[in-house]
């Protein structure tokens, strides 16, 4: 019981630490690609500490509660994801529960921004929810393929089945599903070419246009959790997870750096371009992967 309680406290702390590190590393990588020096890796931490000491303007209870709901939903998802050998809620749900809980992050931001009374927020929220629908369809097909292949809904059992060199990404039935996940990963993380919901040069950061002070700090923390969740889910499903947290972190780091290379060279999609892309190649590959997996396992 004590070990479980320690894991429940430690897992979100580690996830936040990794996510904030990725935020700083992403800015550093982008700066170096652009031939700039860039801010220090600790800049996101400095920004959040500074923001917590600044005064933020509230637009109502829903404005306050929405961002808390978004952050709480991401924290709960972290408790279901194995990080090394640590997974506090390993016996409390499966992959479909994770899929449902991942919807709380955009839903919380939508509830919060709904009281912002800013047209840029409305535009950003509509884009964010449409984008969520765009990647949820192939993501559902991917999870169905994984569950069909391993005949379980438990992500812990999926990781255990891949121990050694039996990674899903290099197995024939799930290769297409893994490739599809890589194609939708930038949309899950909200990075280019799928940063259409924020688009600072166009709609002043969209859903976060009215955030300041502690609200912006909480939104930054929520973004850090989303980074961790999106990449950790891929590592657990297709790269075998890891028994040791350091090895797990290295796998996440490799995927994150590859994603930053995409972020650096691709321009932003319009929302219709993003949906057309997500419902074309990633969905097609995920659907083919599900069919192949079902045929082989039948």
């Amino acid at each position: 019981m004590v070990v479980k309680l320690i894991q429940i406290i430690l897992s979100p702390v580690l996830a936040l630490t990794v996510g904030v590190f990725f935020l700083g590393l992403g800015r550093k990588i982008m700066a170096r690609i652009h031939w700039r020096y860039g801010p220090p890796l600790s800049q996101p931490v400095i920004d959040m500490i500074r923001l917590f000491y600044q005064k933020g303007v509230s637009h109502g209870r829903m404005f306050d509660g929405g961002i808390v709901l978004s952050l709480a939903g991401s924290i709960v998802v972290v408790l279901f994801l194995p990080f090394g050998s640590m997974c506090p809620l390993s016996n409390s749900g499966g992959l479909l529960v994770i899929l449902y809980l991942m919807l709380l992050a955009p839903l919380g931001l939508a509830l919060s921004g709904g009281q912002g009374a800013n047209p840029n927020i409305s535009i950003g929220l509509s884009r964010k929810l449409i984008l969520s629908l765009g990647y949820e369809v192939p993501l559902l097909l991917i999870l169905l393929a994984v569950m069909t292949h391993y005949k379980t809904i438990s992500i812990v059992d999926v990781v255990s089945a891949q121990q050694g060199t039996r990674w899903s990404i290099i197995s024939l039935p799930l290769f297409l599903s893994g490739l599809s996940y890589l194609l939708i990963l930038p949309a899950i993380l909200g990075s280019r070419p799928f940063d259409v919901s924020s688009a600072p040069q166009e709609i002043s950061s969209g859903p976060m246009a009215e955030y300041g002070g502690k609200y912006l700090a909480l939104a930054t923390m929520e973004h850090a959790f989303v980074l961790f969740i999106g990449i950790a889910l891929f590592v657990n499903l297709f790269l075998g997870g890891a028994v040791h947290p350091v090895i797990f972190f290295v796998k996440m780091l490799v995927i994150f750096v590859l994603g930053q290379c995409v972020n650096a060279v691709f321009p932003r999609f319009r929302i219709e371009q993003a949906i057309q892309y997500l419902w074309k190649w990633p969905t097609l590959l995920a659907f083919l992967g599900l069919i192949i997996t079902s045929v082989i396992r039948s």
Side-chain angles (χ1 to χ4, degrees), residues 41-273:
L41 292 176
S42 59
Q43 190 63 48
V45 179
I46 298 173
D47 291 341
M48 284 191 293
I49 294 175
R50 173 176 55 83
L51 289 169
F52 271 119
Y53 279 97
Q54 292 180 354
K55 183 179 179 180
V57 179
S58 174
H59 294 274
R61 293 183 179 179
M62 190 62 71
F63 187 84
D64 301 342
I67 185 63
V68 174
L69 173 64
S70 180
L71 184 60
S74 296
I75 292 175
V76 174
V77 175
V78 168
L79 299 179
F80 284 94
L81 292 176
F83 184 72
S85 58
M86 183 168 51
C87 185
L89 299 182
S90 57
N91 298 321
S92 302
L95 288 169
L96 292 180
V97 174
I98 294 175
L99 181 65
Y100 293 144
L101 290 174
M102 288 175 66
L103 294 173
L104 289 179
L107 178 60
L109 289 178
L111 293 174
S112 177
Q115 287 197 327
N118 187 317
N120 289 328
I121 294 180
S122 300
I123 296 172
L125 288 176
S126 63
R127 292 179 177 182
K128 189 174 187 65
L129 294 176
I130 293 173
L131 189 64
S132 298
L133 178 62
Y135 67 72
E136 286 289 341
V137 172
L139 182 58
L140 176 60
L141 295 175
I142 291 168
L143 295 184
L144 289 175
V146 172
M147 290 186 291
T148 301
H149 179 74
Y150 291 107
K151 297 182 178 180
T152 180
I153 64 171
S154 172
I155 190 171
V156 176
D157 293 341
V158 171
V159 172
S160 300
Q162 299 178 73
Q163 294 307 305
T165 58
R166 295 177 294 178
W167 293 357
S168 300
I169 193 68
I170 59 177
S171 65
L172 178 60
L174 293 180
F175 173 76
L176 293 179
S177 299
L179 181 58
S180 176
Y181 194 109
L182 284 176
L183 292 177
I184 67 172
L185 184 56
I188 296 175
L189 303 183
S191 59
R192 279 188 293 185
F194 298 100
D195 61 340
V196 65
S197 62
S198 57
Q201 301 88 350
E202 182 183 350
I203 53 174
S204 302
S205 298
M208 296 186 291
E210 293 293 327
Y211 285 163
K214 61 183 180 181
Y215 300 101
L216 189 55
L218 292 175
T220 304
M221 293 174 61
E222 194 274 332
H223 186 201
F225 277 117
V226 169
L227 281 177
F228 176 87
I229 291 169
I231 301 174
L233 185 59
F234 176 79
V235 171
N236 280 314
L237 293 180
F238 297 102
L239 297 184
V243 176
H244 200 285
V246 175
I247 299 176
F248 191 90
F249 171 75
V250 171
K251 291 181 179 180
M252 291 185 64
L253 182 61
V254 172
I255 300 301
F256 176 77
V257 172
L258 292 176
Q260 286 303 300
C261 294
V262 174
N263 186 23
V265 300
F266 278 89
R268 181 186 305 128
F269 281 159
R270 298 195 304 270
I271 186 62
E272 66 271 15
Q273 292 175 323

Side-chain angles (χ1 to χ4, degrees), residues 11-25:
S11 290
V13 173
L14 290 175
L16 179 61
T17 302
V18 172
V20 170
F21 172 75
F22 283 164
L23 287 177
L25 180 63

